Amino acid sequence: NAEKLATTAAGVTVTGALSQTAPAAGTVLQVVSQTGTSRVSTTHTSWTEPSTNYRVSITPQFSNSMIVLNYHIVFNQQSAANILTGLRAFRTISGGSKSYALTSAGQTNGSRNLIAGGVIRPGNGYDNNDMNIEPVHAIDYPGSTGVCVYGFESFPEGTNTTYWGYSSNNNGTWGWDADIVITAMEVKV
């Protein structure tokens, strides 16, 4: 039979006309990137997703794959000095609800926020041109071959306005405009 399976030390091999070896552990199976070109501003005092344009979608080939996430988040935040802003990644699977329990978020500890991301102290808070460049790195084992969508939310301390992907000031000296980029990479386990 030309489609008979044979097991080898390297994995499962299909012999005959459909000969193919399963990828080895650690193999990068796919890389998907989303460049968020929307320019939005938000004023909020709780966890909020700035824009659904800042999401990346990946469909894992294997249910035990690891998804490696890299976020390049740029923003200008108008706020008081010495404040904190949280950034956390989330995932949905096949259109389901948001989950913040990505693998690299760890375990809950007391009443602290569970986040795959971090808390930063952006710029000096007064300059309408301050560019905050925040990388967020996370890993996730979604346990599914359904469509996985990853995005992020922010939670600034106090009331302020945050400009996502651009500066508040529109001038040719120090004003700026930059895309938010999210990359998802599937790695075979």
Side-chain angles (χ1 to χ4, degrees):
N1 184 339
E3 296 178 11
K4 181 171 56 173
L5 293 177
T7 303
T8 67
V12 177
T13 302
V14 179
T15 59
L18 300 175
S19 184
Q20 180 179 2
T21 302
T27 301
V28 174
L29 301 174
Q30 62 177 313
V31 177
V32 180
S33 186
Q34 173 64 35
T35 301
T37 59
S38 290
R39 302 298 182 251
V40 298
S41 64
T42 58
T43 302
H44 56 280
T45 56
S46 62
W47 288 107
T48 300
E49 181 180 11
S51 172
T52 57
N53 185 247
Y54 307 148
R55 291 181 174 190
V56 67
S57 178
I58 189 168
T59 304
Q61 296 175 29
F62 297 92
S63 62
N64 67 339
S65 288
M66 176 176 65
I67 306 299
V68 179
L69 299 158
N70 289 297
Y71 294 74
H72 175 77
I73 303 170
V74 290
F75 62 96
N76 175 222
Q77 187 166 288
Q78 304 301 299
S79 58
N82 201 31
I83 62 109
L84 298 173
T85 295
L87 296 170
R88 70 176 177 186
F90 68 81
R91 169 205 352 104
T92 66
I93 298 176
S94 299
S97 60
K98 290 180 182 177
S99 173
Y100 307 100
L102 278 66
T103 306
S104 60
Q107 304 296 318
T108 58
N109 184 1
S111 59
R112 295 171 180 87
N113 290 294
L114 177 67
I115 61 173
V119 178
I120 48 103
R121 192 176 307 278
N124 63 23
Y126 293 106
D127 192 330
N128 292 336
N129 295 314
D130 284 348
M131 178 188 275
N132 296 284
I133 304 169
E134 297 303 327
V136 172
H137 307 286
I139 63 168
D140 190 34
Y141 291 88
S144 175
T145 56
V147 177
C148 295
V149 175
Y150 293 92
F152 72 94
E153 295 180 343
S154 77
F155 183 0
E157 180 182 17
T159 303
N160 60 69
T161 300
T162 305
Y163 299 87
W164 299 97
Y166 69 115
S167 62
S168 172
N169 268 352
N170 180 13
N171 65 60
T173 305
W174 292 106
W176 58 271
D177 182 87
D179 289 339
I180 293 173
V181 180
I182 306 172
T183 303
M185 177 174 58
E186 180 184 8
V187 178
K188 178 73 171 88
V189 177

